[in-house]
Amino acid sequence: MDDLKRILGFDPQRLAADADRLFAGVREVYEADAGAVASAASEDGRLRVEYAAGEGVRALDIDPRAMRMPAADLAATLLALIRRARAEAEESGRARAAELLAADGSVFGERERAQIGDRLRNATGALQADLRSADQLLATLRASLDRR
């Protein structure tokens, strides 16, 4: 592995671990948003909706007494409850995602981004140096072959 590190100019295992952390962070943000659940109930408590950001309406409880409402009122009340529960679930998911993200909305904070940038610059520099060496070797080989 040390030879590979030397050839590449960076540690591929460390790069893989960094990528794993990045994808775990992205997954956690996604799950926080998708897993947000909220409920809303009518003032009289006869209608209740549970909404999950990742699924939509999960539960709908209708007290039999609510069935006495005019159909248009019942439908309008249910739609309003669904919208309210959805808005709360989405806000909850956004708030949780914001807790997991850096202030600028990235998975990594300033320090982590700086470290990743440094590693990429170092890896790129080493790779460029290796490519220059390989190019010089090829030029030497071509010159040697041309003389024959």
Side-chain angles (χ1 to χ4, degrees):
M1 186 58 81
D2 289 335
D3 288 340
L4 185 59
K5 281 189 223 178
R6 185 182 50 73
I7 291 167
L8 294 175
F10 64 92
D11 183 350
Q13 288 180 320
R14 186 164 184 171
L15 182 63
D18 289 343
D20 286 345
R21 276 195 302 282
L22 170 66
F23 291 121
V26 169
R27 183 174 28 263
E28 191 174 351
V29 168
Y30 171 77
E31 289 170 355
D33 185 46
V37 177
S39 61
S42 61
E43 288 182 24
D44 62 9
R46 293 181 181 176
L47 299 170
R48 186 182 151 289
V49 172
E50 185 176 285
Y51 189 94
E55 299 174 48
V57 176
R58 284 186 11 174
L60 182 61
D61 296 321
I62 303 174
D63 185 294
R65 294 173 292 174
M67 300 302 285
R68 295 185 192 124
M69 294 172 67
D73 292 347
L74 178 60
T77 302
L78 285 171
L79 287 174
L81 293 174
I82 290 169
R83 287 183 190 114
R84 190 169 83 207
R86 182 185 69 215
E88 288 177 23
E90 289 172 353
E91 178 55 35
S92 173
R94 278 192 295 274
R96 179 67 182 124
E99 290 173 14
L100 297 170
L101 296 173
D104 64 355
S106 69
V107 175
F108 292 119
E110 185 69 31
R111 188 173 138 253
E112 290 87 357
R113 283 195 304 276
Q115 289 174 342
I116 291 168
D118 289 344
R119 284 190 208 130
L120 288 173
R121 276 188 291 283
N122 290 341
T124 302
L127 182 59
Q128 288 176 348
D130 288 343
L131 288 173
R132 280 191 296 273
S133 294
D135 190 45
Q136 289 171 350
L137 178 61
L138 287 172
T140 303
L141 287 172
R142 279 191 200 107
S144 176
L145 291 172
D146 287 343
R147 280 184 258 160
R148 289 184 182 184

